[in-house]
Amino acid sequence: MKKLTIQYLMFLGVLTLAIVASQILIQRTISDSRTDSRIINISGRQRMLSQKITKSALKLPLSKSKEEFNRTKSELTDAARLWTDSHQALKYGNERLDVSKMNESVFLARLFTQIQPYFQSITEAVIELDQFNYDQLEADAIPPQMEEAIQAISDHEKDFLKLMNDITFEYDRIASEKVEKLSTSEYYLLAGTLLLILLEAFFIFRPMVKTSKRKDHVISEFNDYVQQSISALGQTHQEKELADNIIAEANEKIDALSTVNNNLRKRIKQTKNEYEKKLSEEIINYTEISELNTTYENKITMLEKELKRMKKTV
């Protein structure tokens, strides 16, 4: 039984380790999935921001008022600022976004290398547009530098969008591979856990069941023995009561006989005493009679002698 206990504790420990490892793997993957999901969302947002930058740049020279111009330029610069920060975060990461594992992909690094010129051109064009104000706009024509900057954004936005789509899809592929690896690992852990359970059932629970059945059989036999003993004890108790009654009756008879015997002894003793007394009296009487007889015999003898003497004298 001690051996089974040790084996059970060993299997339980290994099973616990498997479960803990599974949970650690799941929690780690969930944490990575959250990061991966955020990376994919930021990557997808980059496409929307690039389109917003292009739209704002094209809209800027068409402003009808200074307020509209400033509002459009503010939208352009805000979108460009977020777009630039997101691009740097995707490429190098920051304190809130860990891209080190994602960016281990060689293909992803090559995509970032290819997209960098378009990113740089759009960034420079936005900086150029930020230098303009509403007063520099001409009534019927767009300033040449502004037109060149807008054209640069428009020209490079398509190539940037295409490469950004490829980057987003690559991020999604890497995340999907992680999920597949997790699924595979989970299957292995599940198979290992089931194997441990089967081994535990075969090497621990099966002997324990056998031992339990054997003990149940022993307990059942012992229970039958106890029941038989109780029945026998009941019969013995009845026999004992019967024997006690017989012994009590015998004791009563013995006491009665003893009483009778004692009375008889008393009567015998009394009779004996009476007999001895009578015998003593008879002996005494006999003695007296004997003495008297002797006296009479002596007297008779003396008389006979005297009679003889008298006869001789006559």
Side-chain angles (χ1 to χ4, degrees), residues 215-228:
K215 288 185 177 181
D216 289 340
H217 181 68
V218 173
I219 291 172
S220 179
E221 290 182 349
F222 181 73
N223 186 38
D224 294 339
Y225 172 75
V226 170
Q227 295 296 329
Q228 293 175 1

Side-chain angles (χ1 to χ4, degrees), residues 74-110:
S74 178
E75 292 176 357
L76 174 63
T77 54
D78 290 342
R81 186 181 302 108
L82 180 59
W83 180 73
T84 302
D85 293 341
S86 299
H87 183 81
Q88 297 298 325
L90 290 174
K91 190 174 182 179
Y92 302 108
N94 55 33
E95 66 277 0
R96 294 179 298 176
L97 190 67
D98 184 12
V99 296
S100 58
K101 293 182 179 179
M102 278 283 199
N103 290 350
E104 290 178 354
S105 172
V106 177
F107 179 66
L108 193 60
R110 185 164 64 248

Side-chain angles (χ1 to χ4, degrees), residues 265-285:
R265 284 182 180 180
K266 288 180 181 180
R267 292 186 64 183
I268 292 173
K269 185 176 182 180
Q270 184 179 1
T271 303
K272 182 179 179 182
N273 290 334
E274 291 178 355
Y275 175 77
E276 288 178 352
K277 182 178 180 182
K278 289 182 179 180
L279 183 61
S280 297
E281 290 178 354
E282 290 179 356
I283 290 173
I284 291 172
N285 293 331

